[in-house]
Amino acid sequence: MKSLKAIQVLSKIGMILSKIVFICCCVGFGCCIISVPFLAGSAEILKFGDFTLHGLIEKEAGMSLGSMYSAMVIGAIACACEAVLAKFAEVYFKRELRAGTPFTLGGAKELLRLGILALAIPAGYSVIATVWQTIAVRIFENVEKVSTGSLGSVSFGVMFIIGSLLCRYGAELAEKKPMPEVVNTLSEND
């Protein structure tokens, strides 16, 4: 039971961290979305002597406005993708804490879904960010390529999927389902 208490503490920490990441991603998404029209609308409004906000940003950041627009949209996409993953992780941890054990069929199903999403969402992000980058080059002038990077790691998705199989196996053992017999496929000559 000592191990189960440790798992419950880790699940509680995971739930809290997932919630924090979700909130931070929502704030980041909002800031990125608000920044795009703010940058577009502040061209002539905000002047400081001979400097405009656009000129100051371009000089200090070393990026064109088109590159900044592109970076803000890509940032919003990244935040939205991470928020989705964080929310699904939070759902898994809540389910695990309610059940009191990770070894339930429902928890294993949630963990499998989280693993599949951890593989699919970064791939989708890369495609969407690349498409947006191509569109931005055609819409704006002097758009430098913005690094889209990778949102996650394939290893996280694989670990979640393997963890779901272990949790499913534990749930089946807990229900005392008969285990399938392992058939020895090796002959005695091998």
Side-chain angles (χ1 to χ4, degrees):
M1 289 308 218
K2 194 174 188 182
S3 297
L4 183 59
K5 286 182 183 181
I7 290 172
Q8 293 304 96
V9 168
L10 290 174
S11 291
K12 182 87 168 167
I13 292 169
M15 184 184 72
I16 291 168
L17 290 176
S18 297
K19 191 174 287 195
I20 290 169
V21 169
F22 176 76
I23 291 168
C24 289
C25 287
C26 288
V27 169
F29 176 81
C31 289
C32 287
I33 294 299
I34 289 170
S35 296
V36 172
F38 176 76
L39 283 174
S42 65
E44 297 298 323
I45 297 171
L46 298 175
K47 290 185 180 182
F48 307 102
D50 293 337
F51 296 104
T52 63
L53 181 62
H54 285 193
L56 187 63
I57 289 173
E58 286 179 354
K59 180 181 175 187
E60 292 298 319
M63 293 176 75
S64 69
L65 282 174
S67 296
M68 287 186 190
Y69 293 139
S70 182
M72 292 298 172
V73 171
I74 289 172
I77 295 167
C79 287
C81 291
E82 287 294 334
V84 169
L85 282 175
K87 194 57 164 174
F88 276 100
E90 182 184 349
V91 166
Y92 167 74
F93 288 122
K94 281 182 179 179
R95 175 185 283 268
E96 194 279 333
L97 287 168
R98 246 186 329 224
T101 180
F103 301 111
T104 63
L105 293 176
K109 187 176 180 180
E110 289 284 334
L111 197 56
L112 178 63
R113 179 169 52 176
L114 185 59
I116 292 169
L117 288 173
L119 292 172
I121 287 177
Y125 161 76
S126 294
V127 169
I128 293 169
T130 302
V131 168
W132 167 251
Q133 191 92 37
T134 305
I135 292 169
V137 167
R138 296 188 190 278
I139 295 174
F140 303 111
E141 296 177 14
N142 302 324
V143 176
E144 298 93 28
K145 182 167 174 58
V146 178
S147 174
T148 55
S150 176
L151 282 185
S153 164
V154 172
S155 56
F156 280 123
V158 171
M159 287 188 320
F160 289 144
I161 292 170
I162 291 171
S164 75
L165 294 173
L166 293 172
C167 289
R168 178 177 302 279
Y169 179 70
E172 289 171 354
L173 283 178
E175 291 181 355
K176 298 190 189 311
K177 288 185 177 179
M179 299 305 298
E181 291 185 28
V182 178
V183 178
N184 188 357
T185 58
L186 297 175
S187 67
E188 292 183 22
N189 296 334
D190 290 336

